[in-house]
Amino acid sequence: MFNYIIKRFKKIVIRILALLFFLTFLLMVFLYLNYKLGDKYPNPNDLYSYVENNKTDSYLNEKNKDFLKEKDIWAIRLDKDGKVIESFNKPREVKNKLEITDVAGFTRYYLADYPVFTYIIGDGLILFAYPKNSLDKLPFNYYNYQNLVFNMWLVVIFIVLFLLFVYVFYRMDIRDILKNISPFQKAIDKLFEDDYEKLDENGELKDLALSINKANEKYNNLKKSQSKWIRGVSHDVRTPLAKISWELNKENKNELDTRNIQDQILKISNILEGLNLTMSLANIDKENFEAKSPLKVIRKVIVDKLNENPEREIVFENRLRDPDIKIKMDPTLFYRMVENILKNSLAYTDGKIELIISSPDNQLRIEVLDQGCGVDDDIIKRINEEDLTNITRHGLGIFISKQIAELHGGNFLVKNKDPGLEVSFIFDL
C-alpha cells in the first residue's frame, strides 16, 4: 500500500513539474509571437540604412518616398534650427518648426502620439514616424549589463528555490502519509488475529478505519458463528451416533433394530446434506437468477408433500392480485426454502397446515402456519442470530430456508402463534 501511495505522489510531483515547464514553454511561445508581431514593421535602423544608401541630392527622393509609402511611414528632415526642410506625408498637427524641447521629447518619447526614431545627418536630423499604436517606445535606450546578469541569477535562484520547496513538501507529505497509514498497515497485518486493536474512527481516513474495523468485526462474528455451527452440528450428529452405537453393542445380534439404525443414518445424512447446502449458498452467483413464477414452485411443493403425506391436510390460499407475478430466483433453491418449513410442520405437528401467498404493498408474501405447540422464544432468538447451538428441532431446516430467502433478497420472520408457529417469507417486487 505504501509503495502505491508513494508512486502516486511521485506522479503528482512530476505532473506539477511538467506543468511548470509547460507554462514556461507557453511563455516563450508568447514572447516569440509578440516578437514576430512586432516584426510587421521594418527595423528603424534598416529603414535609415535604406534611405541613406538611396539618397541623391535630397534624402526624401522619389525612390525613398515610394519605400516609405509602402511601409506606411512618414518622415521629415530638420535643419540645425529645427525647421522642416524636407518631408513626406507629414501630418498637419506636426509643426513646421520644432523647438529644442520638442526635440528632447520626441527623441525619448513620441511626436504627436507617433512613435518616431531620430538619426543625425550632417548638422540636422531626420525623423521616421510609424503609425499610431504600432510600436511602443521604451523611456530609455540603454540597459545595465550588471543588472541583466543579476536578473538572470535571480531567475536561476527562483527556479532552484521552487524545486527545493517541491522536494521539501514532498518529503513532508510522505512523512505525514506514512505516519497516518502506519496504524492501518499494522491493523491489516493483525486483522485476523486475537490481539487486533480497533482503529480510531476519526480523522481524514475515518472511512478506511471504519471499513477495516468492520472487516475485523465480520471475521469475529464468522468465527463465533462457525464455532456455534460446529457445536450445533456435533450435538445433532452425536445423538443418532449414540443410538447406532447402542444398537450395535447389543449382545444378541438378532435383537438389532435395523429400522432404527437406518433412521439414525438418514438423520446424519440429512444433517450433512443441510450443512453442505448452507456452505454452498455463500458461493451462488445471483446474476444467474431468472424471473420465474413463485406460484408454480409453491404448488409443486404442496403437491409433492401431499403425495408423500396423503393423510395430512395442507390448505393453500392464493391471494395474489396478479397471478403472473414473477421474481428473480433459482427454482430449485426456492422449492427447498418452502419445503423445509412444510417438512418441519409435517414432522412435528399433527393438525392442519396453511400456506398463504399474497402481494400486499408491492411485496410478495409467503406464510406457512401450523397448529403445533410452536417453539421456545429462546430458540427463535437464536435462529434470528444464526446461532444453532443445541437446536435439535426446527433448527437447520429453518436456518437453510432463512439463508435462501436472504439470498433472493427477501426477509425471513418466524414467530409463535396461538396455537402453532408462523413462518413468513417477504420479498420486495
Side-chain angles (χ1 to χ4, degrees):
M1 182 194 296
F2 293 156
N3 290 335
Y4 170 76
I5 294 174
I6 292 174
K7 287 179 180 178
R8 295 295 300 175
F9 194 79
K10 284 181 179 178
K11 287 183 179 180
I12 294 174
V13 173
I14 291 172
R15 288 171 183 168
I16 292 174
L17 295 177
L19 180 61
L20 173 65
F21 288 118
F22 178 67
L23 292 176
T24 304
F25 171 75
L26 290 181
L27 177 62
M28 299 301 293
V29 171
F30 170 78
L31 295 176
Y32 174 76
L33 292 177
N34 275 269
Y35 168 76
K36 293 298 292 183
L37 182 63
D39 202 37
K40 175 181 177 182
Y41 298 96
N43 186 286
N45 292 334
D46 296 337
L47 190 67
Y48 170 73
S49 297
Y50 183 90
V51 171
E52 177 70 25
N53 293 333
N54 293 282
K55 69 179 180 179
T56 54
D57 55 341
S58 66
Y59 277 84
L60 301 178
N61 54 33
E62 293 301 321
K63 184 175 182 179
N64 285 338
K65 286 180 179 180
D66 291 339
F67 177 74
L68 294 174
K69 182 179 180 181
E70 179 185 347
K71 303 299 182 182
D72 193 21
I73 294 171
W74 60 268
I76 58 175
R77 180 182 169 201
L78 306 177
D79 62 12
K80 64 181 179 178
D81 297 323
K83 182 179 179 180
V84 177
I85 55 177
E86 280 188 88
S87 69
F88 171 70
N89 285 346
K90 180 179 76 67
R92 292 182 179 180
E93 63 264 30
V94 177
K95 299 181 291 186
N96 288 323
K97 187 176 186 309
L98 301 177
E99 304 297 331
I100 190 170
T101 53
D102 297 326
V103 175
F106 67 68
T107 53
R108 188 167 184 178
Y109 299 105
Y110 297 83
L111 175 59
D113 292 333
Y114 289 93
V116 296
F117 297 89
T118 308
Y119 295 90
I120 299 174
I121 48 173
D123 57 355
L125 301 174
I126 187 169
L127 281 67
F128 300 105
Y130 288 72
K132 292 181 179 180
N133 301 319
S134 59
L135 299 178
D136 290 328
K137 291 189 67 178
L138 297 176
F140 51 83
N141 56 3
Y142 67 91
Y143 196 85
N144 190 307
Y145 174 75
Q146 292 182 345
N147 197 22
L148 174 63
V149 174
F150 175 76
N151 287 334
M152 293 299 294
W153 276 110
L154 276 182
V155 171
V156 173
I157 291 172
F158 288 161
I159 293 175
V160 172
L161 287 176
F162 174 81
L163 297 176
L164 180 62
F165 287 154
V166 169
Y167 177 76
V168 170
F169 292 148
Y170 165 77
R171 296 300 304 177
M172 291 173 61
D173 287 342
I174 288 294
R175 183 193 62 190
D176 292 341
I177 289 173
L178 295 178
K179 180 180 177 181
N180 291 332
I181 296 184
S182 179
F184 293 91
Q185 182 69 51
K186 294 178 181 177
I188 292 173
D189 291 339
K190 294 187 175 183
L191 185 61
F192 304 122
E193 303 293 337
D194 293 333
D195 58 346
Y196 172 83
E197 294 182 6
K198 188 174 181 180
L199 289 168
D200 181 15
E201 296 177 354
N202 296 307
E204 296 178 351
L205 299 174
K206 63 179 182 180
D207 292 337
L208 181 58
L210 283 168
S211 298
I212 295 176
N213 287 336
K214 191 174 181 180
N216 176 260
E217 183 180 353
K218 285 184 177 179
Y219 171 73
N220 287 331
N221 291 338
L222 178 62
K223 281 203 306 183
K224 293 177 182 178
S225 177
Q226 287 177 338
S227 176
K228 293 173 182 178
W229 266 84
I230 293 172
R231 291 198 301 270
V233 172
S234 64
H235 178 274
D236 288 346
V237 172
R238 190 182 303 116
T239 301
L241 285 177
K243 291 182 179 180
I244 294 172
S245 177
W246 183 77
E247 288 289 343
L248 294 177
N249 287 330
K250 288 182 178 179
E251 294 182 1
N252 188 355
K253 300 303 180 183
N254 294 326
E255 296 179 1
L256 287 177
D257 188 349
T258 56
R259 180 65 180 269
N260 184 28
I261 294 175
Q262 290 175 350
D263 289 343
Q264 302 309 318
I265 292 174
L266 182 60
K267 285 183 180 180
I268 296 174
S269 176
N270 290 335
I271 291 171
L272 295 178
E273 180 188 357
L275 181 60
N276 289 331
L277 178 60
T278 57
M279 299 302 290
S280 64
L281 287 176
N283 300 320
I284 291 178
D285 185 7
K286 294 189 289 185
E287 297 298 326
N288 295 327
F289 286 7
E290 297 180 0
K292 300 285 185 180
S293 171
L295 191 57
K296 293 181 180 180
V297 177
I298 290 172
R299 282 175 173 163
K300 186 177 186 309
V301 177
I302 294 174
V303 170
D304 290 346
K305 294 300 115 182
L306 285 174
N307 289 334
E308 294 172 7
N309 305 271
E311 74 286 355
R312 296 299 299 273
E313 181 182 7
I314 301 177
V315 177
F316 175 56
E317 188 174 346
N318 181 3
R319 299 178 185 173
L320 290 178
R321 299 172 184 173
D322 179 8
D324 296 324
I325 197 168
K326 294 182 179 180
I327 63 172
K328 281 194 170 185
M329 65 160 76
D330 181 309
T332 303
L333 291 177
F334 205 86
Y335 180 98
R336 182 66 178 271
M337 176 186 77
V338 180
E339 182 195 33
N340 284 345
I341 306 304
L342 282 178
K343 283 175 67 175
N344 275 352
S345 296
L346 290 167
Y348 301 115
T349 67
D350 297 322
K352 179 177 66 173
I353 300 171
E354 296 180 76
L355 195 154
I356 304 170
I357 181 169
S358 58
S359 54
D361 303 325
N362 202 33
Q363 289 182 329
L364 175 68
R365 196 176 182 96
I366 302 170
E367 298 169 284
V368 180
L369 302 93
D370 62 38
Q371 295 180 343
C373 59
V375 297
D376 293 339
D377 291 336
D378 180 60
I379 292 179
I380 294 177
K381 179 180 178 182
R382 277 185 276 169
I383 290 174
N384 291 331
E385 294 175 354
E386 301 182 2
D387 179 2
L388 299 185
T389 308
N390 297 328
I391 298 178
T392 57
R393 295 180 67 225
H394 298 287
L396 194 56
I398 287 183
F399 182 64
I400 291 173
S401 294
K402 177 184 178 183
Q403 279 190 304
I404 295 174
E406 292 173 348
L407 182 65
H408 287 78
N411 292 320
F412 174 88
L413 298 175
V414 55
K415 60 182 178 180
N416 284 312
K417 303 290 284 186
D418 188 15
L421 185 73
E422 177 184 326
V423 177
S424 302
F425 303 98
I426 304 169
F427 304 90
D428 289 328
L429 295 177

